[in-house]
Amino acid sequence: MAASEGGGREEVKQQFNTREGLYKLMRLSEYSRPTRLTYNTQNHLPVKVSLISLNDGTSSNDNIFFNVGRELYFYPYKGVRKAADLTKPSDKRTYKGSTLPTSHDFNQLTASPKGVSLIVGFSAGQVQLIDPVGRENSKLFNEERQIEKSKVTTLRWVPGTEHMFLASHVSGSMYLYNEELEPVTTPPFYQVLKQGEDYAVLTCKSKVPRNPVQRWVIGEGAIHEFAFSNDTKYVATVSHDGFLRVFHYDSMEKYGSMKSYFGGLLCVSWSPDDKYIVVGGEDDVVTVWSFLERRVLARGRGHNSWVNVVSFDPYTTEVLPHNLDVYASDDDIAHDNHRDRSFSRTSIHSAGGEGPPSVSYRFGSVGQDTQLCLWDFSEDQVLRFHPNRARTSTQISQSPPQCNNVGHGKESNASSVHPDGTQTLSRKFSYQSLTDKAKDKKKDGSISRSTRQQYLNKIHETIMSIGAKAIGTPMCPSLDEVYRLEPLVTKKIAYDRLTTLIFLEDCMITGCQEGIINTWARPGKVGMTQHAATASGTVV
């Protein structure tokens, strides 16, 4: 992991080269807690960052918001232009007890210099709406934990809406809230609105509108992250059961899915044009999934531990002219891909240069191994790759790896519980039942308890069967059957596990579990004099 074999700390890089030039760490643009006091990072939740730009008509002021332990900080963000002033946070909040902030998101649509809408999720399941600019009264959702008791994993405002947001939880449920609705102290009772092979969408049985507006129950175990497509029509989720699932948001129909080699998927990102989705997780691999073809196109190995965050870089995506090499020489690429390919790695297009130009994509990943990886691929590379057909079949073990240690076959049952405490789909449905007063008959569109349990058992069995048989199929192709990506850059950039990666036009932002948020200037974008760090173990 982060420590070297000798027991000391490995060198942390402060700059690195890519094909477009030199990226440089801006030491004066480091954000953290003002005191910089050390604390036990193992006992705290991942540090996450949210950004908001407030335009007053004459200028645009950027702001950064992040959580560290039980504290929340809101600072003016100077980026590569000026040094960070940690002595004067615009807002600071400290939470007592065992409830810790886990996720947050700004409503970009309604933000103004007079106020912003910021939602914050917590480890006990609550969601708070606050305004760190206007300091107006806050709202608390799920205050009594009648809706959900497990940790919030991801929060997102529904794109294009002023009052709707989604919250995913460790329980495997995802809730749609309307922040204009008044809080209700009674527990919700649900009825099925939409259901599929491995998911269901529920609504509350209530005479008046109330929260949650919808409850999505997806797969097995925690929903670690979800992300809306840039056109806002689709939402992609990654879960503890190792599945990526893509849904059409309005119709609630499942569009496609894929599975990890083993373990859960932890992170997901859409390409700027929504043609590709990249995911990462506990199998230490990044995977590129084609939205149009609904299949895995490429996988890449560059990390030595779990991949915590993946993110496309929209500012380096470009249309390539014919016969252009998208790769530059970098000391991170020690050797070429030795497998036979149907085309040359450095010849992106066919010799004749016919057909439309290809698009080159860049995405980054950070993980538990404290490393940053940057990856480049072009449509021409991944779409024109053909596996070696000498292998007539994919050999699958008679006892395939178990996803998240969930049992297979007849030994599996609907009341199984994952080692991390998360419940299976059957348990989490019955844990907060569709209605505690259900009779064995249909009434007002509700379903009976016995029918519901039969349906949940079928879902559980289906997911287990798919997971056991997935390896070597289009849903989870072997490494020999897809294009193999190699990282353009692999650099150790922190001493603790990395939990944040954001690409901006002039810089890149990374954050680690120590609560340190770093800014990396893009080539030619250094906006101020930076002094070389003198601490031991750093490289300039």
Side-chain angles (χ1 to χ4, degrees):
M1 293 276 295
S4 63
E5 293 182 358
R9 286 190 166 188
E10 299 176 11
E11 292 181 338
V12 170
K13 303 297 183 182
Q14 295 187 11
Q15 62 184 29
F16 57 85
N17 275 301
T18 64
R19 58 181 169 85
E20 64 267 21
L22 181 69
Y23 283 73
K24 187 174 182 180
L25 177 64
M26 308 295 284
R27 298 293 297 174
L28 299 182
S29 297
E30 184 177 282
Y31 290 82
S32 65
R33 298 187 304 163
T35 58
R36 300 295 298 277
L37 295 175
T38 59
Y39 67 102
N40 185 2
T41 61
Q42 299 297 326
N43 294 333
H44 290 272
L45 298 165
V47 174
K48 297 186 178 181
V49 173
S50 295
L51 300 171
I52 189 70
S53 181
L54 304 177
N55 194 326
D56 59 7
T58 59
S59 62
S60 181
N61 299 312
D62 297 329
N63 298 272
I64 187 170
F65 184 88
F66 57 92
N67 60 290
V68 182
R70 62 183 69 255
E71 298 171 338
L72 298 173
Y73 291 96
F74 185 63
Y75 285 102
Y77 181 66
K78 303 301 182 181
V80 299
R81 302 185 304 274
K82 296 181 181 179
D85 183 3
L86 302 182
T87 63
K88 298 178 180 179
S90 301
D91 191 42
K92 175 190 174 184
R93 297 169 188 248
T94 303
Y95 294 88
K96 299 179 180 180
S98 58
T99 300
L100 304 178
T102 61
S103 182
H104 36 82
D105 189 43
F106 284 104
N107 191 329
Q108 306 288 338
L109 185 64
T110 61
S112 72
K114 295 182 180 180
V116 297
S117 295
L118 174 68
I119 44 176
V120 182
F122 294 90
S123 56
Q126 304 95 331
V127 178
Q128 187 179 25
L129 175 65
I130 62 176
D131 181 358
V133 175
R135 309 291 179 88
E136 295 184 359
N137 294 332
S138 65
K139 296 180 181 179
L140 190 59
F141 302 89
N142 191 31
E143 181 175 6
E144 301 297 329
R145 304 176 69 200
Q146 299 276 14
I147 297 173
E148 177 63 60
K149 292 181 171 60
S150 69
K151 181 181 74 175
V152 176
T153 56
T154 303
L155 279 174
R156 293 286 184 270
W157 289 96
V158 178
T161 67
E162 295 185 4
H163 308 292
M164 310 295 288
F165 64 88
L166 273 174
S168 63
H169 292 259
V170 165
S171 66
S173 290
M174 186 166 65
Y175 297 90
L176 176 65
Y177 288 89
N178 184 341
E179 60 98 358
E180 287 191 310
L181 296 179
E182 293 297 323
V184 179
T185 57
T186 59
F189 297 104
Y190 298 101
Q191 60 187 6
V192 174
L193 177 64
K194 189 84 172 183
Q195 62 188 36
E197 182 182 58
D198 52 359
Y199 76 99
V201 183
L202 317 173
T203 58
C204 287
K205 292 182 59 180
S206 176
K207 295 181 180 180
V208 297
R210 61 158 292 170
N211 282 317
V213 179
Q214 291 178 357
R215 177 187 179 191
W216 294 57
V217 183
I218 302 173
E220 294 273 341
I223 300 174
H224 289 298
E225 189 175 28
F226 65 88
F228 283 96
S229 60
N230 296 286
D231 66 6
T232 72
K233 294 180 180 179
Y234 295 85
V235 61
T237 68
V238 287
S239 301
H240 194 65
D241 59 10
F243 281 90
L244 161 74
R245 297 176 176 90
V246 181
F247 299 91
H248 187 275
Y249 180 68
D250 289 335
S251 68
M252 296 168 284
E253 294 282 354
K254 190 169 82 168
Y255 175 82
S257 62
M258 58 78 58
K259 190 184 180 300
S260 66
Y261 282 124
F262 59 86
L265 290 177
L266 304 177
C267 48
V268 58
S269 178
W270 290 81
S271 66
D273 56 8
D274 290 335
K275 287 185 177 180
Y276 303 99
I277 296 174
V278 63
V279 296
E282 296 175 0
D283 56 6
D284 308 347
V285 174
V286 294
T287 301
V288 178
W289 188 80
S290 170
F291 178 80
L292 298 178
E293 299 190 16
R294 309 189 198 194
R295 67 181 180 93
V296 174
L297 291 182
R299 296 192 191 265
R301 284 182 171 173
H303 288 280
N304 300 316
S305 188
W306 294 1
V307 181
N308 288 335
V309 183
V310 289
S311 180
F312 273 93
D313 181 357
Y315 303 99
T316 54
T317 296
E318 58 184 346
V319 177
L320 299 174
H322 291 292
N323 301 319
L324 177 67
D325 182 3
V326 299
Y327 288 95
S329 177
D330 188 88
D331 57 359
D332 288 291
I333 304 178
H335 55 81
D336 199 353
N337 191 335
H338 296 295
R339 295 187 301 115
D340 291 336
R341 298 186 181 274
S342 59
F343 56 90
S344 170
R345 185 183 184 200
T346 57
S347 179
I348 301 304
H349 296 274
S350 60
E354 298 177 356
S358 182
V359 178
S360 172
Y361 297 88
R362 163 77 58 80
F363 69 90
S365 59
V366 295
Q368 300 275 50
D369 57 2
T370 72
Q371 291 194 128
L372 163 73
C373 291
L374 296 181
W375 312 79
D376 280 359
F377 73 93
S378 73
E379 290 181 305
D380 195 76
Q381 287 174 312
V382 296
L383 294 177
R384 298 177 67 179
F385 168 74
H386 298 289
N388 184 357
R389 296 301 181 184
R391 294 180 61 210
T392 58
S393 64
T394 301
Q395 298 296 323
I396 304 178
S397 171
Q398 295 296 321
S399 301
Q402 294 184 2
C403 177
N404 303 319
N405 296 320
V406 178
H408 295 265
K410 297 181 179 179
E411 295 180 359
S412 174
N413 60 71
S415 61
S416 61
V417 179
H418 293 293
D420 65 352
T422 61
Q423 298 168 319
T424 66
L425 183 58
S426 305
R427 283 282 293 191
K428 70 193 178 197
F429 241 155
S430 59
Y431 175 65
Q432 292 180 330
S433 61
L434 302 182
T435 169
D436 291 335
K437 301 178 181 179
K439 304 291 185 180
D440 287 336
K441 63 180 180 179
K442 294 185 178 181
K443 182 179 180 182
D444 299 330
S446 62
I447 60 175
S448 68
R449 180 171 297 179
S450 60
T451 301
R452 180 182 66 249
Q453 192 60 47
Q454 290 175 5
Y455 169 68
L456 295 173
N457 290 342
K458 184 177 180 180
I459 289 179
H460 176 79
E461 293 172 0
T462 300
I463 294 175
M464 293 299 98
S465 175
I466 292 174
K469 300 177 181 178
I471 299 177
T473 69
M475 182 175 290
C476 183
S478 65
L479 283 175
D480 293 334
E481 297 172 328
V482 295
Y483 185 86
R484 187 194 303 174
L485 293 175
E486 293 189 22
L488 175 70
V489 167
T490 303
K491 297 293 183 183
K492 177 181 174 63
I493 62 170
Y495 288 122
D496 209 332
R497 57 193 184 274
L498 292 160
T499 57
T500 293
L501 177 63
I502 300 174
F503 291 102
L504 300 180
E505 186 173 5
D506 59 356
C507 65
M508 174 182 67
I509 298 174
T510 61
C512 71
Q513 193 60 25
E514 288 180 307
I516 299 174
I517 314 300
N518 286 323
T519 297
W520 300 77
R522 290 185 186 270
K525 298 295 184 179
V526 176
M528 59 184 175
T529 303
Q530 294 288 313
H531 300 284
T534 58
S536 60
T538 60
V539 175
V540 180

